[in-house]
Amino acid sequence: MRFKTIKCSAVMAFAGAIGAFAQQSSQVISYLEIYDLETETHQVIKEFPYLIEAPNWTPDGKWLVVNKEGRLYKISPDGSGDLVEINTGTINQCNNDHVISADGKWIALSSNDPSVKDWKSYVFTVPFEGGEPKKITPVGPSYLHGISPDGKMIAYCAFRGPENEADVYAMPVKGGKEVRLTDAPGLDDGPEYSMDGRHIWFNSVRSGRMQVWRMRANGKEQTQMTFDKDMNSWFPHISPDGEKVVYIAYHDYEVAPGDHTPNQNVQLRMIPAKGGEPKVLVKLFGGQGSINVNSWSPDSKKFAYISYRMAEEITAPSKEMAVQLYSARQLIGSPELFAKNHEYVLGRLAQMGYTGAEAASYSDGLFSGMEPEDFKAALNKAGLELVSSHTTRVLSSDELSSGNYEAAMKWWDQCIEAHKKAGIPRLVMSYSPKLDTEAELKVMAEYLNAIGSRCNAAGIRFGYHNHAHEFAKVGNTTMMDYFIANTDPAKVFIEMDVYWAVVGGAAPVEYMHKYPGRFELLHIKDKKEIGQSGMVGFDAIFRNFDKAGTKGFIVEMEEASTQNILKGLRESALYLRNNY
């Protein structure tokens, strides 16, 4: 099925119009892949410069069936040859819900019905060799997922009643009365018959998180089979030998329990059919369309699926640009979160086009709880170069008044040593509180120079990063102006955050001209996604990189327009790659 539970029937009708086709909002490159359980490897057998979805494996092993632009096609499992269309007559708005009968003679599919024009999905059957489909479900929306082994029954998710409740239904293939098998609150979806016909596997959100369930074919004994933590589990597919179940799992910080959207980093997992701990088989970029229907090979040794790359992420111009890892703090902002999520998050950032990263997690000699060398290795493995690091040791009121910051320098010595071990070329003091007197400014400037000297001795460049308050008046100057004028350029560079400069009432380009050569790094930031607010004049900023002495820039996002910060970082990356 192609969309989450929606209460409003008017909205549901529109969603059905969108959902009934195999369509995504962005052009993608599709990779038809096969996973081999014996070798525990997966291989791309065919690449397509367009969207295909939902492979089935025919019972005789000769074909994989996929959908493309509302039609069904078959292709050899070795990837040879081209897609061969299966004639579905006037039903040419098929979605990614299609299943092959156990004898291989016919296909059941979900599609809009052009003769009705109500933009709802119905279930049809068509001979495998093609022909005019026969309509099975008289009521929509109905989204097929299973055919009983004897070919007599279909199982599907249907939206029924005034509240459009989404539940599992069954109906004879020859037609007749549909039987409602589930009635739990929330979405029940993805029903598929076991190989002996005794059970139906499905996914349900009734526990608060989408999980895999199993019930008797008559709807009795509904039993939860997966208990995935931090993941939402969809579309259980049973192997022909009846022993294994493969399903797709979404990270719960990217999608709501009732969503199965495209273009996410997801996992294919497997459990024994009798239940047990899941095994992660594949981590891929995909989701909707990857494995919506059963795609096991007849010998139960392999299964097919589709991974994707967004074409614009590949075709947009490459650009050297880093990302401040603080942007993804909800996902990797603590040692525990970093350990759990960094492989996924860092890999996705590299896919978006980021080439480097600025750390924001140094503490007591470690980065995100990892040894410096291990932290660097984790970034490099994902394809990200560590270009700089944010940390700070602010001066206390006593240190500011006395000018004695010896204890702080001992802290910096340890910090510098850790950064040297990590091979980080730049160390940036990320924050200082607002200072109130020129005497405090003098002490702070001396402090910055002292840190810069020790960084230089270790082969590391040192910089200072501003917020908005550095542009407020302190006597006859500002913190920003005083620091630039009273620090040695050989010891201290300024990492100007252009967004905070604008919020502080300053014009970044004016500072670039006033202090040429001082801004070795820039933070490119906006209110949310880069370029959407109109607050920051990025055109002029990028034109003046040479004047400013800028050697690189770092993208930072405090928040996104949605709860999905990775979506915002992706949009920001594409904006910068396509415009600067």
Side-chain angles (χ1 to χ4, degrees):
M1 197 198 65
R2 296 192 55 84
F3 51 87
K4 64 182 179 180
T5 307
I6 304 175
K7 293 297 185 182
C8 174
S9 58
V11 175
M12 175 61 70
F14 177 69
I18 297 174
F21 290 149
Q23 297 284 345
Q24 291 189 27
S25 58
S26 300
Q27 184 179 357
V28 299
I29 296 172
S30 306
Y31 302 92
L32 181 57
E33 301 196 43
I34 289 179
Y35 186 89
D36 188 319
L37 268 70
E38 291 186 331
T39 62
E40 296 187 338
T41 60
H42 52 101
Q43 179 182 7
V44 175
I45 64 165
K46 192 84 169 181
E47 176 182 333
F48 300 87
Y50 45 76
L51 178 69
I52 64 168
E53 295 183 293
N56 300 128
W57 211 312
T58 58
D60 60 10
K62 293 181 179 180
W63 300 102
L64 295 175
V65 175
V66 299
N67 63 289
K68 168 182 174 285
E69 295 180 345
R71 300 177 184 272
L72 298 183
Y73 295 80
K74 61 184 181 180
I75 188 170
S76 172
D78 64 8
S80 62
D82 297 322
L83 292 175
V84 178
E85 185 173 355
I86 297 172
N87 176 27
T88 56
T90 59
I91 303 304
N92 56 13
Q93 298 173 8
C94 307
N95 58 35
N96 50 28
D97 303 325
H98 45 84
V99 182
I100 303 168
S101 63
D103 60 12
K105 294 182 178 181
W106 51 278
I107 304 173
L109 58 90
S110 303
S111 175
N112 288 338
D113 185 348
S115 68
V116 179
K117 297 181 180 180
D118 61 359
W119 301 108
K120 293 180 179 180
S121 176
Y122 299 87
V123 179
F124 298 81
T125 60
V126 64
F128 185 82
E129 298 304 323
E132 186 62 31
K134 176 185 176 182
K135 190 174 182 179
I136 304 301
T137 55
V139 180
S142 301
Y143 295 90
L144 172 87
H145 280 275
I147 303 174
S148 63
D150 60 10
K152 294 181 179 181
M153 299 290 293
I154 56 172
Y156 51 99
C157 172
F159 291 79
R160 299 290 185 264
E163 297 299 315
N164 282 310
E165 297 173 358
D167 287 296
V168 173
Y169 287 75
M171 174 184 282
V173 172
K174 292 183 178 181
K177 183 179 179 181
E178 65 178 13
V179 179
R180 184 179 184 178
L181 300 178
T182 67
D183 59 5
L187 175 62
D188 292 335
D189 197 3
E192 184 173 298
Y193 283 94
S194 61
M195 296 304 106
D196 59 10
R198 296 173 60 188
H199 292 95
I200 291 177
W201 290 72
F202 64 105
N203 50 273
S204 175
V205 77
R206 66 186 70 183
S207 68
R209 176 175 283 117
M210 187 64 77
Q211 297 288 356
V212 171
W213 288 67
R214 186 184 69 183
M215 61 183 169
R216 292 284 184 179
N218 60 7
K220 305 295 185 180
E221 300 179 17
Q222 297 181 19
T223 306
Q224 186 172 344
M225 300 301 292
T226 64
F227 301 84
D228 291 322
K229 297 178 180 178
D230 305 321
M231 305 292 286
N232 291 302
S233 303
W234 285 79
F235 301 137
H237 304 308
I238 306 93
S239 59
D241 61 13
E243 295 181 359
K244 302 172 286 290
V245 177
V246 164
Y247 61 96
I248 189 168
Y250 288 81
H251 296 268
D252 65 0
Y253 46 72
E254 285 239 66
V255 297
D259 287 352
H260 56 290
T261 55
N263 306 325
Q264 307 288 344
N265 277 40
V266 296
Q267 297 178 2
L268 299 183
R269 295 184 164 199
M270 185 173 70
I271 59 171
K274 62 183 179 181
E277 288 298 312
K279 178 180 181 180
V280 178
L281 302 180
V282 185
K283 297 178 180 179
L284 67 142
F285 186 69
Q288 173 67 278
S290 289
I291 191 166
N292 288 54
V293 291
N294 194 305
S295 60
W296 281 97
S297 62
D299 60 8
S300 300
K301 295 180 179 179
K302 302 176 181 179
F303 62 85
Y305 63 95
I306 299 172
S307 62
Y308 300 96
R309 282 295 306 277
M310 302 186 76
E312 57 188 348
E313 290 184 358
I314 298 174
T315 60
S318 298
K319 183 173 294 295
E320 292 293 319
M321 60 182 183
V323 57
Q324 168 51 254
L325 297 182
Y326 176 79
S327 304
R329 60 197 176 278
Q330 304 98 321
L331 308 180
I332 55 174
S334 68
E336 294 76 19
L337 286 173
F338 191 88
K340 187 179 83 170
N341 298 327
H342 75 268
E343 182 179 355
Y344 161 75
V345 172
L346 300 180
R348 185 70 192 104
L349 292 172
Q351 285 179 342
M352 296 172 190
Y354 293 104
T355 58
E358 183 175 64
S361 59
Y362 171 77
S363 178
D364 295 328
L366 304 176
F367 295 84
S368 295
M370 301 175 71
E371 292 294 336
E373 298 89 346
D374 295 336
F375 181 75
K376 177 184 180 181
L379 271 292
N380 293 164
K381 182 179 179 181
L384 299 174
E385 178 187 1
L386 272 167
V387 300
S388 57
S389 174
H390 267 202
T391 191
T392 193
R393 180 7 180 121
V394 300
L395 292 180
S396 67
S397 57
D398 288 343
E399 289 170 324
L400 279 170
S401 61
S402 68
N404 181 354
Y405 41 79
E406 182 178 348
M409 296 309 298
K410 290 180 180 179
W411 184 93
W412 282 105
D413 285 340
Q414 182 195 45
C415 177
I416 293 167
E417 179 61 24
H419 282 75
K420 185 177 181 180
K421 288 179 180 179
I424 301 176
R426 300 178 185 89
L427 176 54
V428 179
M429 183 170 174
S430 58
Y431 177 77
S432 169
K434 185 178 183 301
L435 304 178
D436 298 319
T437 67
E438 290 197 32
E440 291 179 339
L441 292 177
K442 182 175 183 297
V443 172
M444 180 60 73
E446 293 171 351
Y447 180 51
L448 296 177
N449 278 323
I451 301 168
S453 293
R454 298 200 185 188
C455 283
N456 284 352
I460 296 174
R461 290 282 292 151
F462 176 69
Y464 179 82
H465 172 269
N466 67 274
H467 290 78
H469 61 261
E470 281 88 350
F471 299 94
K473 282 291 186 180
V474 181
N476 294 319
T477 186
T478 67
M479 287 176 65
M480 178 65 100
D481 289 276
Y482 192 94
F483 291 168
I484 296 175
N486 291 278
T487 56
D488 183 348
K491 299 177 181 178
V492 182
F493 70 86
I494 303 298
E495 182 187 67
M496 179 163 56
D497 185 308
V498 297
Y499 171 75
W500 284 124
V502 171
V503 172
V509 172
E510 289 184 9
Y511 268 84
M512 292 175 167
H513 284 261
K514 186 177 181 180
Y515 301 107
R518 290 305 305 272
F519 304 99
E520 185 170 318
L521 293 179
L522 294 180
H523 258 209
I524 297 299
K525 186 163 63 179
D526 207 332
K527 188 173 183 179
K528 292 182 179 177
E529 289 78 7
I530 307 298
Q532 291 193 7
S533 74
M535 293 176 59
V536 184
F538 291 110
D539 288 348
I541 288 170
F542 277 85
R543 285 198 307 267
N544 283 277
F545 269 27
D546 289 344
K547 186 72 174 179
T550 300
K551 296 181 179 179
F553 68 91
I554 295 148
V555 174
E556 183 181 30
M557 289 187 63
E558 298 284 347
E559 59 178 319
S561 297
T562 69
Q563 292 184 347
N564 188 345
I565 192 69
L566 292 180
K567 179 176 182 292
L569 286 167
R570 176 186 173 274
E571 291 173 359
S572 296
L574 288 173
Y575 173 82
L576 292 167
R577 290 174 65 187
N578 286 315
N579 289 283
Y580 301 108

